[in-house]
Structures are given as C-alpha cells and as structure tokens.
C-alpha cells in the first residue's frame, strides 16, 4: 500500500544562546573604584535581559540590562507592578507556563517565550555607588504602556469583553479589550483569546487589576461590571428578592442584550443630570456609547490580539445615595509625599481624588466628599499593618474654611449639579523655615477631626486619642516638630475610609460573581517609579548638585524589608533585619542634609509609646507589636529603641563588563529553500533547510503535514539544517 502526503513547512524562532550572554553579564569580581562618590541614576526603557541569581530563594537578587546598562537588583527588593508587588523570584515563578518552563520571565527582549507581547518596560531609581556599580533602590515594571481612549462600541456578554472605537455593535471592528481580572471581580470571561487553564482568561496574572482597590471604575470610583450570559449561583446575603431570606441561593444571568443580570443590573445605570445608582450594593454595567480609557498591554493568544487592561475608567460620574443601607465608593487619582532627605527644606503631600457621595450646599458652601486617611506601617515581628492618622477632608475644611479640601470642582457650586462636589484635594506643605498655615498644616487638619480618628481606634481595640496626642505642641504655624512626626516615617501604603463607611461599617457589596467585595475604603500603594513617593528635585535647589544620590537609607523598608507590605513569607518573619543587599548606599546621612529640620525631642501618644531623643530620627523609626508588659505600644514607635541603625552595609564592588546587544525581537527567519511536497510510506524523506535569521538567532525547524494523524513535530537537526522522516502506514491519509 502506498500513501502520499502533502506537507506545509513552518519555522519557529529559536532560542538565543542566552546562557552564555547572561553569564557574561553576571560575572562578579572586584574592580577599582570608578568614581569618588555616589550619584543618582534614573533608568527608563525596555528590558533587554533579566536574570534571577537563585530561583529557589524568594528574596533573591538579580540583574537587569536596560539600554545596554547592567543594573543590580538587590536581594530583598520588592518590585512594583501596576496593581501588584512581587519579588524578582516571584516575577519568574509566576510567569506564563511557557516562560516558567524555559526559566525566563517573559519580560525581556532576549526571552524566547514572549513572542506575542514584546519586552516589558521598566523604571529604575538607582544610585551609582562609589565603586561605579549601579544598584537599584526602587523598580517599577509594566508589561506594556498602552493607554487607549475612546467609546465602547461592542460588548460580548457571552465571553465577557468589549470593543472600543469600532462600528456600533460590530464584533469585528475596533480594539478588543479584556480586563486582566483573574479573580473574576468585574467579569466572567471565556472564549476568544483565553488560554487553556487561564484564570478567568487572564493572560498574565502578574499584571492583574486590583480586585479590592478598584481601578476599573466610573470617574467617581464606582466599580463597573460586564453583564454575563453565563449563569452564576450565589448566596443572596443582600436579600435581593426581598423575601427576608439571606441564606438562600440565587442565580444571575443576563439576557442576550445584557439586561437582567442580578449581579450587574442595568437598573444601576440611571439617566439625568445626577447619575445616582439604584442599589450601590452591586456594581454598575458598562454600556454601548460609554466614554472609556483603558490601560495595559497587548496580548495575542490563539491568534486573537487584544488589550489586556489593568486600569479602565468610564468617564461618567455615578453617585450613591446617602442612606445607611447603601455603600459609597471613592477613587484616589493622585497621591504623593516627599521622601527624605528633604534638602529643599520642606515636606509636601498631595492627595487628589473623586467620590460617589458628597452632599453639598452650594449656598452655604458646606459639604463635599468626606474621607479620612491613615498611613500604613508594618512591624518587623509579624509584618502586621498598623494605621496612623494622616489626613481628613472634613478636618481640613474645619481648620481652613469650607471648600479648602472638599468640593473642589467648579460644577459643585452650580445649583442642581453636584458632580463638582465629588472632587477633593488635600495638601500639606511643611516649610522648615516658614512653617505651615492652616490649609497646609497636618496638625490643624487632624486635630479638627480627631474625634473620628479616636473612635476608629476604639472600635479596633486601640486607645482613644485627643488632639494633644497627635500634636502635643498645638496646631500653630511653627510647630514643625509635631508636623514632621505626623507625616513620617514615609509609608509604602496609605488607606482611606469614607465617613459614610465609618458610620455604617456593616455595609456589604457583592461583585459580578456574587462574592463579598469592599466598599467605602481604598488602599493606595506608594513607590518612586509607581508614583506616590517624590524624591528631591535638585533643579529647585542647586544646579551643581543634580547628581546628588537618592536617599534610599531614609526609606525604612530599604533598611529592613520586613517593614514593607509583603515583606515576610507566609511562614513568618526573620528575627533579624533584612536590608537591601547590596545596598544602593548614598554615603550621606538623610537626617543631616537640611538646615531647618528641627533637632528637638519628639513624643506624641498617637504615634509613639516612648520619646525620640530627636525628631530627626523619626524618619528611621518603625512600629512594634504590643507586648504583655506594654500593651500600649501596639502599632506605635517605641522611641530610640525602634530606630533603624545607620549606616547600612556598604556594597561590595562588582566587575563592570561589556553587555551584549539585545536581539531585534520577533523578526522571522527567511527560508530560501523549497521543501518536497510529498512523502511515501516506508521511504526516507529528507529536506535540507536553507534559512537565515535577521536577528542572528539560532533557528530550529519543525515540519507539519496536512494529515491530523501525523506527529506534530518531526525529527529536527538544527546543526545541519536537515529534516528527516520516514512515514508509517498509520500516518497515511485516510
């Protein structure tokens, strides 16, 4: 029996000889100092190479190459992603399966597992230390930097995605957008562009949206959803069918037009000048025609290309009812606080955001959004977070006058239009020479709303506090010592809670899958590259000192990783400090770089359980857990006993060696030979491939037939470029 087969040939771009290249990059040895003092470096660009030194160590150091420059990533550094925070080892361990199998992150230009996405984008804040080595102190990685604005023109309720900027209701035109939503907070996803085994079609869960601090929202911070044709069962804890039974199981499913979904109800999309939702215990659906902006990166899975979005905003201001059974929401659009060493003789803080609830009287000019903020600090014993009073919109307006911080939008002053009242802004400006007047004074703001901060303490088992406990020296313009104590040490996260949430703590929200979800609360991460932590700009101080190094030792979690969120393993914290190693040491003491920074002792019962000998040590202090002998220390600094030692360990020098040029990514090889199109059972088939690759990569080849019974891959000989195969009877076409 003789059978003939017709073949089609395909080539797959092969691996670079990365082991050799990265081995060159990572050579370690001693070198003579390349410079006399440390200098600052900010490095931004595509990731060319990325390696982790010890894949078995969750806190391992590594190396990244950006723009041809080798940068050391220290051990114990936690890396910021748009809505996530991971160690370097976790970035490799949590990569897509093909990348894990190849020991790659999938983020480097030299990686071979990321052919459909391209290299990641990195922002590195580093010091070039005295030896000449560049060591990172803060890293922010994005898989892509795409920001697309437009209009929703198609929604696929069956598969849980939408398109923007196409023809209305056309499933083939416009940009396809899938939320990177692995926990299913906003969506129920399936179908086109979903890899087998993926979590709710997430192409890369490392670059997830934030499921708890909503970043897929309407402009006031109200979370949105996509109605789903997939049936979901959930416990009706909200008594949505009003029969008094909060333990029964209901189902939710949308109609073909997206209406009728109990967990994503179209009744939460009101019309009119004030868009107040019907039931804020549930999310609100996006609609055709919605103005929308999506941020993320492009993915291509199963031949389907789409934007994988971690942050998406609908440009409509949904509002919530001021009722005790209706939750409210808010969004922190911008937040920033100055980090040490404060050479510009000040500490500034700025918080700007929007809220769904902001009762406002345009005649009396009172009201607006009501939100209180705490800075979060982590103790080194258990990595537990502790909240310390930071700011209040109402406190600001009481101290400095109505609309100083609340109701910042001009539209809020127009009768019948409350959308402007939902815009708020808090500012601090602690000038070490001139002090701070009431509208910029943290002591004045906090003292004016101390009752609610105190009540929150009591509700959470902590001691009540008074205005004197926050700022014992009073709220005057020149009480700089207490102002500094209230806003330092710098924190890696802050958290806001609405006044409505504090007054109604039992309010419940259900997400698109019927799971309990947050309301009235927002945790905002801070980083240098991520945003939130502002380093000193010497262009405002001295143009001869633009290269002054970053004061990484003035940021507590750099001196002890355990003071950061996520700074300990689930198995617990180490018993010793865990500084960045090697440390991007600036060689200057951040406590001594100013003229006006006070040297007075510092003690405030809301923040400390024992006095500091000088407020300058406040930037290096950390909180501790309560002990049986002293229960009042819980969440507070313990005076001089809880000041981080300084200086950090000086980094060892590493040889600076040439870095390889990165390959040009995703350029396919050129095949100039023609394959024989038929093969005969029992007869050897040989095809000598003649191909070149424009990137200089080694190329491997596979052969496929048009018969499904043939093997997916044939014998491959990349060295000679020859493919050989002897077909069997079982492989013959039927």
């Amino acid at each position: 029996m003789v059978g003939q087969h017709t073949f089609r040939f395909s080539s797959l771009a092969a691996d670079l000889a990365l082991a050799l290249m990265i081995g060159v990059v990572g050579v370690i040895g001693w070198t003579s100092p390349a410079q006399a003092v440390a200098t600052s470096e900010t490095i931004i660009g595509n990731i060319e190479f990325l390696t982790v030194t010890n894949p078995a160590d969750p806190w391992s150091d590594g190396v990244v190459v950006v723009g041809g420059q080798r940068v050391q990533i220290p051990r114990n550094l936690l890396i910021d992603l748009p809505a996530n925070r991971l160690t370097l080892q976790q970035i490799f361990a949590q990569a897509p399966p093909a990348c894990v199998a190849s020991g790659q992150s999938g983020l480097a230009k030299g990686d071979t597992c990321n052919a459909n996405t391209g290299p990641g984008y990195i922002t590195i804040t580093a010091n070039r230390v005295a030896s000449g080595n560049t060591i990172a102190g803060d890293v922010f990685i994005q898989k892509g930097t795409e920001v697309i604005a437009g209009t929703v023109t198609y929604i696929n309720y069956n598969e849980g995605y939408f398109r923007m900027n196409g023809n209305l209701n056309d499933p083939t035109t416009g940009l396809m957008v899938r939320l990177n939503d692995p926990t299913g907070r906003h969506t129920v996803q399936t179908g086109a562009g979903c890899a087998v085994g993926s979590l709710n079609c997430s192409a890369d869960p490392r670059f997830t949206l934030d499921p708890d601090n909503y970043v897929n929202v309407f402009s006031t911070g109200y979370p949105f959803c996509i109605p789903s044709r997939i049936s979901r069962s959930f416990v009706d804890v909200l008594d949505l069918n009003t029969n008094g039974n909060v333990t029964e199981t209901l189902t939710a499913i949308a109609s073909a037009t997206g209406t009728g979904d109990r967990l994503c109800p179209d009744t939460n999309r009101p019309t009119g000048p004030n868009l107040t939702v019907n039931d804020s215990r549930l999310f609100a659906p996006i609609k055709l025609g919605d103005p929308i902006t999506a941020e993320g990166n492009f993915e291509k899975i199963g031949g389907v290309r789409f934007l994988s979005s971690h942050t998406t905003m609908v440009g409509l201001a949904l509002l919530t009812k001021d009722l005790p059974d209706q939750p409210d929401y808010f969004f922190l659009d911008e937040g920033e606080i100055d980090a040490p060493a404060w050479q510009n003789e000040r500490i500034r803080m700025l918080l700007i955001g929007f809220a769904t609830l902001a009762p406002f009287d345009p005649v009396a000019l009172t009201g607006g959004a009501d939100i209180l903020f705490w800075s979060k600090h982590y103790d080194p014993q258990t990595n537990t977070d502790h909240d310390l009073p930071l700011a209040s919109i109402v406190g600001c307006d009481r101290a400095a006058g109505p609309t100083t911080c609340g109701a910042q939008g001009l539209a809020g002053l127009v009768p019948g239009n409350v959308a402007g009242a939902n815009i708020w802004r808090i500012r601090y400006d602690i000038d070490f020479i001139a002090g701070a007047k009431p509208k910029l004074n943290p002591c004045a703001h906090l003292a004016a709303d101390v009752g609610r901060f105190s009540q929150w303490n009591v509700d959470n088992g902590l001691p009540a506090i008074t205005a004197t406990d926050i700022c014992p020296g009073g709220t005057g313009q020149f009480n700089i010592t207490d102002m500094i104590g209230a806003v330092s040490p710098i924190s890696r996260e802050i958290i806001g809670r609405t006044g409505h949430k504090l007054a109604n703590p039992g309010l419940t929200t259900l997400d698109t899958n019927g799971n309990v979800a947050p309301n009235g609360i927002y945790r905002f991460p801070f980083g240098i590259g991520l945003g939130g932590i502002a380093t000193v700009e010497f262009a405002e101080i001295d143009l001869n000192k633009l290269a002054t190094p970053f004061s990484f030792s003035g940021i507590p979690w750099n001196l002890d990783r355990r003071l950061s969120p996520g700074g300990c393993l689930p198995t617990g914290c180490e018993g010793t400090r865990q500084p960045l190693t090697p440390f991007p040491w600036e060689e200057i003491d951040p406590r001594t770089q100013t003229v006006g920074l006070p040297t007075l002792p510092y003690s405030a019962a809301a923040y400390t359980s024992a006095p500091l000998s000088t407020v300058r040590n406040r930037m290096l202090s950390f909180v501790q857990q309560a002990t049986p002998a002293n229960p009042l220390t819980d969440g507070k600094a313990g005076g001089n006993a809880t000041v981080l030692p300084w200086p950090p360990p000086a980094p060892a020098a590493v040889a600076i060696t040439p870095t390889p040029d990165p390959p040009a990514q995703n350029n396919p090889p050129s095949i100039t030979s023609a394959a024989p199109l038929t093969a005969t059972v029992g007869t050897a088939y040989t095809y000598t491939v003649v191909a070149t690759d424009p990137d200089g990569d080694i190329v491997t080849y596979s052969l496929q037939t048009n018969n499904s019974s043939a093997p997916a891959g044939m014998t491959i000989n990349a060295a000679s470029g020859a493919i050989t195969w002897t077909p069997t009877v079982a492989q013959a076409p039927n």
Side-chain angles (χ1 to χ4, degrees), residues 254-613:
S255 70
T257 59
T259 60
D261 189 330
R262 275 177 162 152
L263 292 171
C264 188
D266 52 290
T267 52
N268 269 358
R269 286 301 306 272
T271 58
N274 293 318
L275 304 177
T276 303
V277 301
N278 179 61
D279 187 351
S280 61
R281 299 175 301 169
L282 302 167
F283 291 9
I286 60 171
K287 294 281 189 179
L288 294 175
D290 280 347
I292 198 163
T293 301
E295 302 178 33
N297 66 280
F298 283 105
E299 300 278 359
K300 189 173 184 182
I301 296 177
V304 178
R305 186 172 184 265
F306 59 93
L307 181 73
S308 179
S309 178
H310 54 73
T311 301
T312 314
M313 179 174 282
V314 178
L316 296 171
L318 295 196
L319 308 177
T320 52
K321 301 173 184 176
D322 190 7
L323 296 174
D325 67 339
Q326 290 288 292
D328 68 338
Y329 305 87
F330 74 97
F331 183 76
L332 187 53
D333 183 61
E334 182 180 351
E336 188 171 76
I337 188 168
D338 289 341
W342 306 322
Q343 288 96 331
N344 48 6
E345 303 289 343
R346 67 162 190 253
I347 304 174
R348 287 182 177 176
M349 186 186 81
L350 173 66
L351 303 177
I352 299 175
F354 322 115
T356 65
L357 182 62
F360 183 70
D361 183 342
V363 177
L365 291 180
T366 59
D370 177 12
I371 306 167
L372 297 85
F373 289 92
W374 289 256
S375 57
K376 278 195 168 290
H377 303 270
Y378 290 76
D379 70 71
Q381 299 102 314
T382 64
N383 197 230
T384 301
D385 58 327
H386 303 268
D387 296 353
L388 299 178
L390 180 65
S392 165
I393 296 173
V394 169
C396 169
D397 285 354
R398 288 175 179 170
T403 73
T404 299
C405 290
Q408 290 290 294
L410 291 178
L413 306 180
V414 179
N417 188 338
V418 300
N422 299 70
I423 304 169
W424 51 269
R425 180 181 66 171
I426 301 172
R427 291 187 299 150
Y428 291 158
D429 191 344
I430 308 167
D431 189 305
F432 297 164
I433 309 301
K437 294 183 178 179
K439 69 177 182 179
L440 304 172
N441 183 328
C443 284
H445 295 193
L446 295 170
D449 201 9
V450 69
R452 289 195 295 175
F453 284 110
S454 180
Q455 187 60 53
W456 185 88
N457 270 16
V458 172
D459 291 343
N460 287 274
L462 299 172
I465 55 174
T466 66
T468 303
D469 294 328
I470 290 177
C471 292
T475 61
Q477 177 177 344
F478 295 100
N479 184 16
I480 299 169
T481 295
D482 287 348
M483 295 184 209
I484 292 170
V487 300
S488 63
I490 195 167
S491 62
R492 200 162 194 180
E493 291 180 334
I494 65 172
I495 190 166
R497 299 175 175 94
T498 66
H500 188 74
K501 177 71 171 180
L502 293 175
N504 303 280
L507 290 174
T508 299
T509 296
L510 293 184
D511 68 14
T512 310
N513 278 287
N515 298 312
V516 174
N519 58 64
I521 191 168
Y522 200 100
R523 184 182 294 211
F524 195 81
F526 277 2
I528 298 176
L530 175 68
I533 296 178
T535 57
V536 177
E537 297 180 8
F538 272 83
E540 301 175 350
I541 302 171
D542 188 337
L543 296 181
N544 279 321
K545 297 181 179 179
L546 297 182
T548 298
F550 295 110
S551 292
F552 290 119
S553 66
I555 299 175
W557 56 87
N558 290 335
L559 294 170
D560 189 347
R561 175 248 300 154
R562 301 173 300 168
L563 304 180
S564 169
C568 294
L569 294 176
T571 53
C573 298
E574 299 92 337
T576 58
R577 286 184 299 276
Q578 299 295 316
L580 297 185
T581 307
F583 199 93
W585 189 33
E586 62 269 29
E587 301 179 4
I588 56 176
D589 188 335
R591 296 166 294 182
T592 62
Q593 303 306 302
T594 66
V595 174
L597 186 64
T599 59
L600 297 172
Y602 173 72
S603 179
Y607 301 102
T608 64
S609 60
L612 286 165
S613 56

Side-chain angles (χ1 to χ4, degrees), residues 673-691:
S673 56
L677 296 181
T678 60
T680 304
V681 169
T683 302
Y685 172 93
T686 301
Y687 168 39
T688 301
V689 183
V690 179

Side-chain angles (χ1 to χ4, degrees), residues 101-135:
S102 61
Q104 299 173 345
S105 69
L107 299 174
K109 197 171 186 180
D111 289 350
T112 57
C113 66
N114 65 347
N116 290 325
T117 60
Y121 193 78
I122 192 168
T123 300
I124 303 171
T125 309
N127 280 338
R128 185 171 168 85
V129 298
S131 64
N133 300 134
T134 299
I135 305 173

Side-chain angles (χ1 to χ4, degrees), residues 234-260:
F234 66 99
V235 177
D236 184 21
V237 297
L238 300 180
D239 192 22
L240 295 178
N241 61 3
T242 65
N243 66 356
N245 188 343
V246 294
T247 61
E248 66 179 324
T249 298
L250 301 181
T251 59
I253 186 170
S255 70
T257 59
T259 60

